[in-house]
Amino acid sequence: MGPRPDSSRIRHLSLDTLLKMTPSDKITQDMKTLGFSAYECKAYLALLEDFPVNGYALSKASGIPRSRIYEVLKNLINKQMVFEQEDGKTKVYVPMEPEIVIKKLKSRYDKIFSDLTRHAASLYREPKQDDKLVVIQGRDNIISFLK
């Protein structure tokens, strides 16, 4: 399976915060919402700007500690977002094209949603008519409920 959104990581950002975010911040936030770690985001975005590079160079460019960079790269390789190539005695890393990564993620999530829809529909039983009323208080709660 692929990365899964982690509800503990999903935060609702204020409009003011969103307006102050750089494009890189917005992409990072979106990637985190999809289940990528902060280091995975940094490494992938740094690779998009300059590749092929070795682990040491990527560590310096991304700000990820050298002690963690190879673990992060391994995760990105497992998620098929980065490729490892031999360049003589050195291993260098190349990012998968963003369009391909996005198509793969969409395909994975489409399949997940399709499976969930099918499975949930098979379990769901139409409730008997009742006269219960649900009250949602607060603007943010109402907007969240409608999404």
Side-chain angles (χ1 to χ4, degrees), residues 122-134:
S122 71
L123 296 175
Y124 182 70
R125 301 289 179 245
E126 191 69 35
K128 295 178 183 175
Q129 184 66 28
D130 64 4
D131 295 329
K132 289 182 182 176
L133 178 67
V134 176

Side-chain angles (χ1 to χ4, degrees), residues 49-85:
E49 292 180 17
D50 184 30
F51 64 90
V53 295
N54 62 25
Y56 175 78
L58 183 59
S59 171
K60 289 187 75 105
S62 65
I64 299 171
R66 275 193 302 172
S67 62
R68 295 286 315 278
I69 194 68
Y70 294 100
E71 174 189 347
V72 171
L73 283 166
K74 181 181 174 189
N75 291 342
L76 290 172
I77 290 167
N78 290 339
K79 293 176 181 180
Q80 299 179 340
M81 295 179 65
V82 172
F83 295 102
E84 181 181 80
Q85 296 177 342

Side-chain angles (χ1 to χ4, degrees), residues 4-143:
R4 286 178 277 156
D6 179 350
S7 61
S8 67
R9 291 187 195 173
I10 297 175
R11 295 186 331 196
H12 296 283
L13 302 173
S14 70
L15 181 60
D16 189 45
T17 302
L18 288 171
L19 291 174
K20 291 179 183 176
M21 294 176 85
T22 67
S24 182
D25 292 337
K26 289 177 185 174
I27 292 169
T28 299
Q29 187 62 42
D30 288 343
M31 289 177 72
K32 285 181 179 181
T33 301
L34 290 171
F36 296 95
S37 73
Y39 281 165
E40 289 170 340
C41 298
K42 285 182 176 186
Y44 183 71
L45 295 175
L47 272 174
L48 290 176
E49 292 180 17
D50 184 30
F51 64 90
V53 295
N54 62 25
Y56 175 78
L58 183 59
S59 171
K60 289 187 75 105
S62 65
I64 299 171
R66 275 193 302 172
S67 62
R68 295 286 315 278
I69 194 68
Y70 294 100
E71 174 189 347
V72 171
L73 283 166
K74 181 181 174 189
N75 291 342
L76 290 172
I77 290 167
N78 290 339
K79 293 176 181 180
Q80 299 179 340
M81 295 179 65
V82 172
F83 295 102
E84 181 181 80
Q85 296 177 342
E86 297 274 337
D87 185 24
K89 294 181 181 180
T90 311
K91 291 181 181 178
V92 293
Y93 301 90
V94 177
M96 166 121 25
E97 293 177 37
E99 288 180 35
I100 295 172
V101 170
I102 291 167
K103 282 181 184 177
K104 284 180 151 195
L105 287 171
K106 279 183 180 179
S107 176
R108 284 183 195 148
Y109 281 107
D110 284 346
K111 181 175 178 356
I112 290 168
F113 287 130
S114 174
D115 291 347
L116 281 171
T117 301
R118 188 173 45 256
H119 186 66
S122 71
L123 296 175
Y124 182 70
R125 301 289 179 245
E126 191 69 35
K128 295 178 183 175
Q129 184 66 28
D130 64 4
D131 295 329
K132 289 182 182 176
L133 178 67
V134 176
V135 178
I136 303 169
Q137 295 180 343
R139 183 178 187 275
D140 290 342
N141 291 335
I142 293 169
I143 291 171

